[in-house]
Amino acid sequence: MAEKTLIEAIREALDEEMARDERVFITGTDIGPRGGVFLATQGLYAKYGPTRIIDSPLSESSIVGVGIGAAMNGMRPVCEIQFADFIHPAYNQIVNEAARMFYRSGGQYCVPMVIRCPYGGGMGGGLYHSQSVEATFAHVPGLKVVIPSNPHDAKGLLKSAIRDDNPVLFLEPKKGYRAIKGEVPAGDYTEPLGKAKVTRQGQDITVYAYGMMHFYCQQAAEAVARAGISVELVDLRTLNPLDKETVLASFKKTGKALIVYEDNRFLGYGAEIAALLCEEAFEHMDAPIMRLAGPDVPAVPYSRPLQDWFMPDVHRIAEAMRKLVAY
Amino acid sequence: MLEFDTADVRNRNSHALEAPSPAALPATPSPECLREMYEVMVRSRRLDERCWLLHRQGRIGFHISGIGHEAAQVGVAFAMRRGYDFLHPYYRDLAMVIALGMSMRDVLLGSFGKQGDPSSGGRQMPNHYCYKPANILSISSPVSTQLPQAAGVALAEKLKGGDRVTVTCIGEGATSEGDFHEALDWAGVHKLPLVVVVENNEYAISVPMRLQMAIERVADRAAAYGIRGVSVDGLDVFASYAAAKEAIERARAGEGTTLLEVRVVRITPHSSDDNDSTYRSPEEKAHVRAQDPLPRFQKQLLEMGVLTPATIAEIEQCAQAEVNDALHYAESAPYPPVTWAMGPVFAE
């Protein structure tokens, strides 16, 4: 198997799905000859041309709205929002329209579309190129929210998202686009939506994470393993619908949970995991459920030390792991 | 009765392209067609009036009216290939959806929130029409959201090489929304087979047009997007039909989008929850009522010899009987089971 970066795996998935299914087309800002600001669609315009790789007007609401309409007329649009920070003008189309279409039409119309979106901080992007929006959208019934943490999963999950009959928000940890590398099988394979994965077996504590934080958690788990701490790591992969079974099974095994996410801590995704564990596995609880998350300031500041203060990192995650295991 | 069959979902968005091409529409509708248009207008009007009554009697929870819009809607609907072209409707499009094949029973099932309501099975408020068999797409309540979607439906049609035209309707208030402008931008750039009908009744609930836009004609906005703009008297069936026919034929021929403003009147308050006497004078309301397109069309058809007093009476009688039948049917229908509220939320 070839080793690829996260962004290469995403590009490969897009390319293979477009070759496999002529209903798939991509639209978004700068995705044409430019190949996307992160080069996710690099080379695809030359291969598939302007009727399948459509540079959109700079208007997020209509990028999604047009995708919804095209999906209802038999296509499989993949819509790119250039940065998660710019998704908010499209909120109404995503939440009020795409996510509700199947339900509100009594199943007459479904919306098989993917909204791809780079998200997260650590790239010097400041307040408006660093945001994490997963909790906002994972709250919405009818919208699947998927976040890959490695190239293998990114390819398989994106293929599943494109083939799914529902709208899927596919959030990509942009700091990991080139930083995260891994083996990616050539050719077609899928990873199921709605399934978490235990990526590291352990006995002492369970750590739940996704995206870039999962990548850091792997390194932190390695670091604390040298001190004899056995970490079980669960990569959530799909935030909605949540794989409760895998989440609960790991907690029942260790009795101690740490949830790591870079979104703001208050009402973040970790709150849902914590509530689930309290409600359905209370008798297995061996320590307070802990969250390590971004602080509750509006977003990641630009200046380097300020950004470093905001972002959970390997060191801080390892510290939280040690604190939890010592409880 | 609408049955929820998830096994069928995968096929739900596939629209077959095998429908035969119709004969070219005549410049002026045939006498038979004119009579049918009149029948639709009368049926829509009588049903609409009954809905107001049902609301005042406390039997239905909400109604929003198309009274005063019927001539424009009938003109547009009869210029479409009905059941073949798409409609992304407006909540006032009662005559339009009836012309496209929804029955009075269908509409009233929605008004009562009863099982079998084809629009949503009682999940949406009344008048949020959706009816897949007639290619009527689903709409929500925030206005203009259907416009980028209609552009997307039209874009997909172009990408597929099909010849279905997408017609979408809004009120003039909705032209203030960003989605209106974003959709027209796409339509212009990609020369989409789309007709955007603005049913301009000069009021967005209580806000008059002069506080909504600083221009006289909504159609003037088209120039900014490189699309065609046309403004017609929407109280005139003939003018509405001719304008819609031209717009739809141009769209089908690959000549792009038309912003078609049909100037109508809203004879009723905005909705059953509105009291328009707080912002419209009795004189203004009388003036609006005097412009009612239904008697105007009736007079034209009498003069043309398409209708006689006897046929008018017969059409009235049939419409009333149909309303009574639909009311009995919908009121007697069961409510949906609570399991229907549970979903499914996702298409499986």
Side-chain angles (χ1 to χ4, degrees):
Chain A
M1 275 191 286
E3 183 171 86
K4 292 186 187 297
T5 62
L6 191 67
I7 193 75
E8 286 167 345
I10 287 164
R11 189 185 306 132
E12 197 165 285
L14 292 171
D15 190 359
E16 289 180 14
E17 287 304 291
M18 290 193 73
R20 186 187 65 82
D21 185 347
E22 63 179 17
R23 298 173 302 172
V24 178
F25 75 95
I26 304 177
T27 191
T29 305
D30 296 313
I31 60 113
R34 169 78 171 80
V37 290
F38 292 102
L39 306 182
T41 52
Q42 189 180 42
L44 299 184
Y45 182 86
K47 192 167 175 182
Y48 296 102
T51 60
R52 297 191 67 196
I53 305 288
I54 303 172
D55 261 331
S56 69
L58 209 170
S59 57
E60 288 78 12
S61 182
S62 69
I63 290 169
V64 175
V66 164
I68 294 169
M72 289 196 294
N73 194 3
M75 303 296 281
R76 297 255 157 186
V78 178
C79 300
E80 181 178 300
I81 300 294
Q82 200 158 52
F83 287 85
D85 314 67
F86 308 156
I87 203 169
H88 305 292
Y91 184 85
N92 195 40
Q93 287 290 346
I94 297 170
V95 173
N96 259 339
E97 303 294 322
R100 289 178 193 181
M101 189 65 71
F102 183 76
Y103 185 82
R104 85 179 191 210
S105 70
Q108 290 182 87
Y109 291 99
C110 57
V111 181
M113 73 184 295
V114 178
I115 303 159
R116 287 186 44 251
C117 189
Y119 86 103
M123 302 275 283
L127 265 62
Y128 298 104
H129 294 80
S130 306
Q131 291 175 40
S132 296
V133 297
E134 66 270 24
T136 302
F137 290 98
H139 182 65
V140 177
L143 178 69
K144 294 189 177 180
V145 179
V146 176
I147 301 183
S149 72
N150 62 71
H152 174 279
D153 285 2
K155 181 176 171 183
L157 289 169
L158 183 51
K159 281 170 167 275
S160 292
I162 291 170
R163 297 176 197 187
D164 200 281
D165 280 340
N166 298 283
V168 180
L169 179 60
F170 196 84
L171 293 170
E172 300 164 4
K174 62 179 174 284
K175 187 172 172 60
Y177 270 154
R178 286 170 184 80
I180 304 176
K181 297 182 178 124
E183 299 284 318
V184 177
D188 194 37
Y189 70 93
T190 59
E191 284 289 318
L193 307 187
K195 292 286 175 199
K197 192 153 84 176
V198 177
T199 51
R200 182 187 179 95
Q201 296 284 341
Q203 300 299 323
D204 297 334
I205 61 171
T206 299
V207 177
Y208 301 96
Y210 49 86
M212 198 64 202
M213 290 301 115
H214 177 271
F215 182 68
Y216 288 162
C217 284
Q218 286 176 310
Q219 295 168 39
E222 282 294 320
V224 299
R226 291 192 284 274
I229 296 172
S230 172
V231 173
E232 177 141 312
L233 186 54
V234 178
D235 183 357
L236 295 174
R237 305 201 303 177
T238 302
L239 272 50
N240 186 3
L242 174 65
D243 178 3
K244 292 182 181 179
E245 200 179 322
T246 301
V247 168
L248 288 166
S250 181
F251 185 69
K252 287 173 182 175
K253 179 176 164 188
T254 66
K256 292 181 175 176
L258 169 68
I259 310 128
V260 184
Y261 53 107
E262 65 174 280
D263 193 2
N264 303 117
R265 175 185 168 96
F266 183 75
L267 286 178
Y269 199 77
E272 182 61 35
I273 299 292
L276 173 69
L277 299 178
C278 289
E279 283 176 347
E280 297 192 26
F282 182 76
E283 63 275 22
H284 298 274
M285 198 180 297
D286 195 32
I289 295 165
M290 293 184 182
R291 287 175 289 167
L292 178 65
D296 293 316
V297 297
V300 187
Y302 168 71
S303 176
R304 183 61 188 268
L306 308 188
Q307 173 180 280
D308 290 347
W309 167 82
F310 186 101
M311 297 291 296
D313 58 17
V314 175
H315 173 74
R316 259 181 266 169
I317 295 168
E319 195 177 282
M321 288 172 170
R322 282 191 286 268
K323 189 175 158 195
L324 178 59
V325 83
Y327 183 88
Chain B
M1 184 183 300
L2 182 72
E3 295 292 338
F4 201 106
D5 182 0
T6 50
D8 188 38
V9 162
R10 264 168 218 287
N11 298 319
R12 284 174 196 245
N13 291 1
S14 61
H15 300 275
L17 290 169
E18 71 275 11
S21 290
L25 287 168
T28 304
S30 66
E32 296 73 29
C33 182
L34 287 168
R35 181 183 156 130
E36 195 189 342
M37 289 166 129
Y38 179 76
E39 282 173 349
V40 169
M41 283 179 71
V42 172
R43 291 166 64 217
S44 175
R45 176 65 64 91
R46 299 303 166 238
L47 179 61
D48 208 318
E49 290 166 341
R50 187 66 68 89
C51 286
W52 282 94
L53 197 62
L54 291 170
H55 179 266
R56 297 311 190 227
Q57 292 169 338
R59 289 155 81 183
I60 62 174
F62 183 74
H63 182 62
I64 196 159
S65 202
I67 293 176
H69 290 229
E70 297 100 329
Q73 290 176 17
V74 164
V76 172
F78 278 76
M80 293 170 68
R81 287 177 66 182
R82 289 180 283 162
Y84 184 73
D85 292 333
F86 290 98
L87 174 70
H88 226 138
Y90 169 37
Y91 47 71
R92 295 199 195 282
D93 281 349
L94 179 58
M96 181 93 77
V97 299
I98 286 178
L100 296 185
M102 287 185 81
S103 70
M104 289 197 191
R105 288 181 173 194
D106 292 335
V107 173
L108 282 184
L109 284 168
S111 301
F112 281 94
K114 292 294 183 72
Q115 184 171 352
D117 155 35
S119 294
S120 72
R123 286 172 176 164
Q124 287 247 63
M125 286 175 81
N127 313 102
H128 287 74
Y129 306 109
C130 172
Y131 190 52
K132 184 74 184 287
N135 276 351
I136 298 172
L137 295 138
S138 166
I139 51 160
S140 62
S141 299
V143 298
S144 255
T145 53
Q146 76 270 38
L147 261 68
Q149 295 170 28
V153 173
L155 176 70
E157 197 63 20
K158 190 169 178 175
L159 295 177
K160 292 195 294 187
D163 71 345
R164 287 164 206 255
V165 173
T166 303
V167 174
T168 185
C169 305
I170 51 172
E172 85 289 346
T175 68
S176 298
E177 291 280 2
D179 273 351
F180 169 81
H181 300 276
E182 294 191 17
L184 293 196
D185 195 30
W186 274 84
V189 169
H190 291 281
K191 226 173 176 184
L192 296 178
L194 177 68
V195 179
V196 176
V197 179
V198 179
E199 298 176 31
N200 182 358
N201 64 26
E202 300 193 358
Y203 274 101
I205 304 187
S206 68
V207 179
M209 193 179 156
R210 68 186 162 76
L211 295 177
Q212 194 73 237
M213 63 193 81
I215 53 176
E216 292 291 318
R217 292 275 180 261
V218 169
D220 291 345
R221 297 192 151 168
Y225 307 102
I227 64 172
R228 193 166 155 267
V230 177
S231 181
V232 296
D233 178 2
L235 301 170
D236 181 343
V237 175
F238 295 95
S240 301
Y241 170 82
K245 176 178 175 291
E246 189 181 3
I248 290 167
E249 284 175 353
R250 288 175 66 105
R252 207 180 315 279
E255 291 170 36
T257 300
T258 299
L259 174 62
L260 174 59
E261 176 185 17
V262 285
R263 302 190 307 275
V264 298
V265 288
R266 197 186 81 199
I267 293 176
T268 66
H270 163 70
S271 76
S272 56
D273 292 344
D274 178 38
N275 174 10
D276 63 351
S277 60
T278 59
Y279 56 87
R280 291 211 280 203
S281 67
E283 294 74 28
E284 184 187 336
K285 288 207 275 185
H287 175 67
V288 165
R289 268 198 305 278
Q291 298 178 66
D292 189 335
L294 185 54
R296 173 171 164 178
F297 191 43
Q298 187 190 88
K299 185 164 176 279
Q300 286 171 314
L301 296 186
L302 276 167
E303 285 167 4
M304 291 169 72
V306 171
L307 293 179
T308 63
T311 52
I312 289 169
E314 187 193 337
I315 289 166
E316 280 293 343
Q317 205 172 14
C318 288
Q320 290 292 2
E322 191 184 354
V323 173
N324 291 336
D325 162 77
L327 174 56
H328 176 72
Y329 178 84
E331 209 162 23
S332 315
Y335 282 106
V338 173
T339 49
W340 181 248
M342 297 173 188
V345 170
F346 289 112
E348 297 302 335

